[in-house]
Structure formats: C-alpha cells, structure tokens
Amino acid sequence: MSIEANEEFRPKIVAFCCNWCSYAGADLAGSSRLAYPADVKIIRVPCSCRVNPMFILRAFEKGADGVIMCGCHPGDCHYSTGNYYARRRMTLLFSMLDYIGVENGRTRVEWVSAAEGVKFSTTMNEFVEKIHSLGKNVRLGDLRCRN
Amino acid sequence: MQELIARAKELLANGTVARVLGWKAGDLPYNPEPAYFEKEEDFKDFVYNGFCGANLSKYMIEATKLEGKTLVCLKPCDTYSFNQLIMEHRVDREKAYIIGVGCKGKLDIEKIKKQGIKGIQSISGAEITDDAETLTINTLYGDKTIPYADGMLERCHVCKGKEHKIYDEIIGESKDTKDADRFDEVSRIESMKPEEKFAFFQKELSKCIRCNACRNACPACSCRKCVFDSNKFDSSQKANVDSFEEKMFHIIRAFHVAGRCTDCGECSRVCPQGIPLHLFNRKFIKDIDEFYGEFQAGEDITVKGPLTSFTFEDVEPSVVAERG
C-alpha cells in the first residue's frame, strides 16, 4: 500500500478573486474570524475579466482539483463592464469542460462583494465540500502511465 | 473553369489586379494547392474542381498587404470568413477583387479512400461544371463509381447555403448540398455520460501530433503572434508531452475563435490525423446560439460578436451545472 493511500484527501483549490470586491470580501472574512478551509489558494486578479480561460486550464494542469472565480456582482464592476464579459466567457468555458467530460462541479463562478465576508466563507466551505465529494481531479491531469 | 480563367486573365491584362489567388494542380489528381498567378502563362496549372476545398480568405491577410489588388476566388462559405476578417480589420477590402465561384460541395479524398478505393489514377465528375451526380474514379484496379455526396466533406453536408455574402462578381453555378443538421453530432455527444464523453475526446485528441495545421489553416486564427508560439508557455510549438496538453491546445484553439468561427470546417479538413475538430467549434456555436441568441459569424459585418458584447440579463455560468 502506498503512502499516499493512507493520507486523507486534501483538495487543491484555486480561487481567482478580483481585487476590488472578492479579494476585499476574503479580507473581511478573515478579519471577521470566519473560517474557511486552508485548501483554498487565492490568486488576486485586477478584475474577473482578467481571468483568461487558459488560467483555469493551467490551474488544472498544475494539479488543482477545483477552480473558482469570484468577482464583483454584475453591475458593480470597478471597471463598469468587466464582469459581464467574464460571465460570458466562463459560461462557454464551463460548458466546454462539461462537453469533454470533466465533472461540472469542479468549476464555479460566484459574485462576492467587499461587504460579503460571510458569503465568501460559506461559498468556499461549500465548494471544498463539493470537491471532496468529487475526489481527486484525474481527468485533467496527465493520464500517461496510468491504467 | 474556362470562364473563370478567361476573366482572371482579362483582369490581369487590363491592370485591374496585380495577381490572382486561386488553386493550381498538385502532384496528384486530388490535391490542388493554393497559388498566386501573376503572368498569363502561369494559368496552365490553374484548376478549380471539387477538391479545391482550401479557404483562400486566410491567404488574403498577407495578400492585401502587397502592392496592387489581388483577385481572389471565394466559395460561398469562404465569403463568411472574408467578412469576418474585414470586421476585424485584418484584410483590406479595397485591395481585394472577389470573384464568387460556384460550388457543388467539396470532396474529401480521405472519405473516398475509406470506401476501399485504392490506387487512384484519375477522377472524373469532380468538375464544378459537371452536372453528374456520380464520381468515376479510375484506379489501378479498374474503374469505380460512387455517388458524389458519398465523397463530400462533412462540412458540405451541413452547408450554410450557397449565397455569396461578399463579392465583386460571381462566376459559375452553385448547387445546394445540405442534407443534415450541423448540431446532430454535438447533441449526440452532449447526451453521453461524462465517462463516455471523456473517453471519446481522449481517443480523438490522443491522435494529435501538434502539427498546428488546424491553426494555420483557420481564417479566424489571424493573430500576428499566436499564444502557442510564445516560448514562455509550456505547450508552445512542440509535440504534446502529456494528455493534458492535447486537450488544452484544442480547447484554447477553439475558445480563441469562439464567436468568430464561421464554421468553415477548414480545421477538420486539414487535420492529417482526421480529428473531428469542428466538434469543438460547433459546441461553442451551439452554446452561443442557445445562451445569447442565434449568431452566424461573418454574415453581417455590422453586428458585434457574442464575446465582445453582453447584456445585463445574460445567464450565469451555473447554468451549465443546472442543465445537467
């Protein structure tokens, strides 16, 4: 039995958070002492619109089990319209991932404002739980030398 | 074809155009290749038949940078791509003289060979002016006859219509070839279980040798510098090293043309491995139609593309999970 098999599965989760709302929301969650799992690694981006579909795929390539993108609520974007474009892109990308057979629970978009520390922590708790139930991401990893 | 050659020679002689972009005969009867014709004697190699599938819009990106006008032969579906390139300011309309050429569906030599036809020496019935419904293939093992439609490219079975969207003049008759719905295959895959979908794409994409032909032939892939040419990027300009790179390349390739892809089918036609790459593009087209309203890239140059516009009421990305 390998060593890995004995270890509890700890998902690796990447969260892209926009600088103006969600990142501040994560800050608020922290300063309000709201707990969310340490499995979530936050990457700050200037705007949710900055998230290139390649970022999501690259996160999976580098071993992420789930990727979540957080931005300002539609209508509240610091740059007026960034999140509207991001919304269309992510809808198409997620649909494509679903199409090639990647479980659609592994990707998620959530709009979190700077005042929503509670929403940030509940979203992250929910998402980590979901990834726990889906297990390790094997489909988007390297499948060579596996059965 | 003779009418087309005569007209091209005339325009070349009177100085309207400096060169002609068309197809010249290749080494084999079924592989004509895109070529420039600058002198009258060059035209001895000029061909236009059922195997001239190449979309010449892509070549116009470079051609319109040259001195003088370029005469280009565009099939009905190629004119969508040309329109899209005009919209993106990648071609100069003033420097193009477009002759809309007739089309009765283009042939796929791989499909013909798959029907057990080997040792092909010559093919008749592929001429565009020919009204025959059959192809007669002279092979080393005798003559074989197949219906024209059986040798047609997949994209011609789901033809967008035989109307030229942009042209200066039209030469030759077109014939409608549509006999299937382009989303049938996409819907079939969508209805499969995740494991089946994954197995299907894994099988198809593992054939990829990263020759980049799909990218190079695509009229929508018109960036001066491609993201896959960047040396800062792991997947650049090389064979796939793991199964993830295959998927990443194809998803990103399709994503970069989403909303701009006219579904001309060049990617699948040029793929040396026979990967059905159009399935990715069509999935994006199908989703765009479903979520943001029907849209055909290249049809109307005044309409903004779906990924460069938005509405306040757009669906949320969670729709994908809810749809099941």
Side-chain angles (χ1 to χ4, degrees):
Chain A
M1 193 180 267
S2 72
I3 298 168
E4 206 181 337
N6 290 327
E7 281 180 7
E8 189 201 349
F9 169 58
R10 294 298 299 263
K12 290 192 195 75
I13 290 170
V14 175
F16 290 99
C17 291
C18 102
N19 182 36
W20 305 98
C21 293
S22 312
Y23 197 77
D27 259 354
L28 183 65
S31 49
S32 315
R33 311 282 164 120
L34 297 165
Y36 66 90
D39 307 323
V40 179
K41 313 282 188 287
I42 296 177
I43 296 178
R44 185 168 63 163
V45 286
C47 176
S48 50
C49 185
R50 175 69 184 90
V51 180
N52 185 323
M54 192 102 93
F55 291 3
I56 311 251
L57 295 183
R58 291 264 281 182
F60 282 122
E61 181 191 15
K62 302 289 178 199
D65 299 303
V67 179
I68 180 165
M69 188 190 88
C70 302
C72 307
H73 283 271
D76 291 349
C77 178
H78 184 78
Y79 307 100
S80 310
T81 56
N83 51 9
Y84 289 114
Y85 293 106
R87 183 162 67 176
R88 283 201 166 189
R89 280 178 212 153
M90 292 306 135
T91 309
L92 291 181
L93 180 71
F94 293 179
S95 180
M96 175 54 77
L97 288 174
D98 181 48
Y99 182 62
I100 67 159
V102 176
E103 305 90 334
N104 54 34
R106 291 198 189 274
T107 45
R108 183 164 168 185
V109 166
E110 203 63 57
W111 312 118
V112 179
S113 85
E116 292 176 324
V118 180
K119 186 177 179 186
F120 186 87
S121 94
T122 47
T123 303
M124 292 307 164
N125 280 311
E126 261 173 47
F127 191 60
V128 170
E129 209 168 289
K130 175 83 187 165
I131 301 300
H132 252 292
S133 67
L134 287 172
K136 206 167 162 47
N137 171 35
V138 283
R139 292 207 178 135
L140 281 175
D142 185 6
L143 291 171
R144 290 171 316 152
C145 310
R146 289 200 198 147
N147 42 14
Chain B
M1 188 171 98
Q2 291 314 319
E3 194 189 348
L4 179 61
I5 293 176
R7 182 67 182 140
K9 280 182 179 169
E10 187 188 332
L11 287 165
L12 205 55
N14 70 20
T16 312
V17 296
R19 69 196 68 77
V20 173
L21 182 52
W23 297 268
K24 76 171 184 188
D27 306 332
L28 297 162
Y30 47 77
N31 67 348
E33 53 197 48
Y36 283 125
F37 301 87
E38 289 175 333
K39 293 189 285 294
E40 195 172 328
E41 56 267 30
D42 296 345
F43 281 92
K44 65 181 190 303
D45 287 338
F46 189 97
V47 287
Y48 180 59
N49 59 29
F51 289 103
C52 295
N55 183 344
L56 298 180
S57 301
K58 171 96 183 193
Y59 296 81
M60 289 306 283
I61 298 169
E62 290 306 316
T64 57
K65 289 178 190 159
L66 303 172
E67 273 300 308
K69 272 196 170 191
T70 304
L71 186 155
V72 61
C73 307
L74 296 182
K75 301 185 292 295
C77 50
D78 303 344
T79 58
Y80 287 83
S81 312
F82 196 84
N83 254 346
Q84 186 62 31
L85 288 166
I86 292 177
M87 208 176 151
E88 291 162 11
H89 308 286
R90 303 294 281 127
V91 293
D92 184 355
R93 176 68 182 94
E94 299 303 310
K95 287 175 90 178
Y97 190 94
I98 303 168
I99 290 193
V101 289
C103 175
K104 63 166 186 173
K106 293 294 165 217
L107 296 162
D108 182 357
I109 190 65
E110 296 305 325
K111 208 163 159 185
I112 294 171
K113 283 179 181 168
K114 267 194 196 132
Q115 295 172 37
I117 299 170
K118 302 259 157 64
I120 299 169
Q121 286 180 316
S122 67
I123 297 172
S124 61
E127 285 302 317
I128 230 69
T129 45
D130 198 334
D131 279 333
E133 294 285 326
T134 53
L135 280 174
T136 309
I137 303 154
N138 177 252
T139 71
L140 290 170
Y141 316 103
D143 283 358
K144 296 227 166 88
T145 306
I146 60 163
Y148 191 90
D150 283 6
M152 242 168 21
L153 284 162
E154 190 276 345
R155 72 181 191 206
C156 296
H157 287 289
V158 297
C159 182
K160 285 191 283 291
K162 298 294 187 197
E163 189 195 337
H164 292 84
K165 292 288 162 186
I166 185 167
Y167 57 89
D168 291 304
E169 59 184 281
I170 290 180
I171 294 177
E173 293 287 309
S174 293
K175 203 165 78 180
D176 196 24
T177 54
K178 185 174 163 67
D179 58 6
D181 187 83
R182 62 175 173 163
F183 296 131
D184 283 351
E185 182 70 359
V186 177
S187 307
R188 191 182 68 79
I189 296 167
E190 277 173 347
S191 63
M192 296 198 290
K193 288 195 205 71
E195 310 82 68
E196 291 169 348
K197 290 181 198 175
F198 187 75
F200 173 80
F201 282 109
Q202 180 73 13
K203 181 170 151 276
E204 291 295 340
L205 296 182
S206 61
K207 292 190 276 189
C208 178
I209 54 171
R210 275 300 298 282
C211 64
N212 290 334
C214 46
R215 181 196 73 180
N216 295 347
C218 175
C221 273
S222 61
C223 296
R224 284 202 182 91
K225 180 145 190 183
C226 177
V227 63
F228 291 108
D229 287 344
S230 160
N231 55 7
K232 294 200 176 76
F233 179 54
D234 297 355
S235 307
S236 67
Q237 289 275 312
K238 62 169 178 59
N240 299 309
V241 289
D242 61 40
S243 64
F244 181 82
E245 284 186 12
E246 294 153 5
K247 295 186 203 84
M248 172 137 91
F249 175 74
H250 290 290
I251 295 172
I252 296 295
R253 185 198 64 79
F255 198 95
H256 282 186
V257 299
R260 308 189 296 117
C261 168
T262 63
D263 199 11
C264 74
E266 278 291 272
C267 42
S268 302
R269 186 186 69 87
V270 299
C271 182
Q273 299 290 83
I275 304 171
L277 295 166
H278 59 272
L279 293 178
F280 286 94
N281 298 327
R282 290 219 185 120
K283 170 64 179 168
F284 281 128
I285 294 171
K286 187 166 183 280
D287 281 345
I288 287 167
D289 285 356
E290 199 175 314
F291 297 142
Y292 311 121
E294 297 253 326
F295 179 79
Q296 169 62 53
E299 193 162 37
D300 182 352
I301 58 169
T302 57
V303 180
K304 267 190 152 186
L307 282 176
T308 51
S309 58
F310 61 84
T311 65
F312 299 130
E313 295 81 29
D314 281 342
V315 289
E316 291 293 330
S318 57
V319 71
V320 177
E322 284 154 15
R323 200 173 45 180

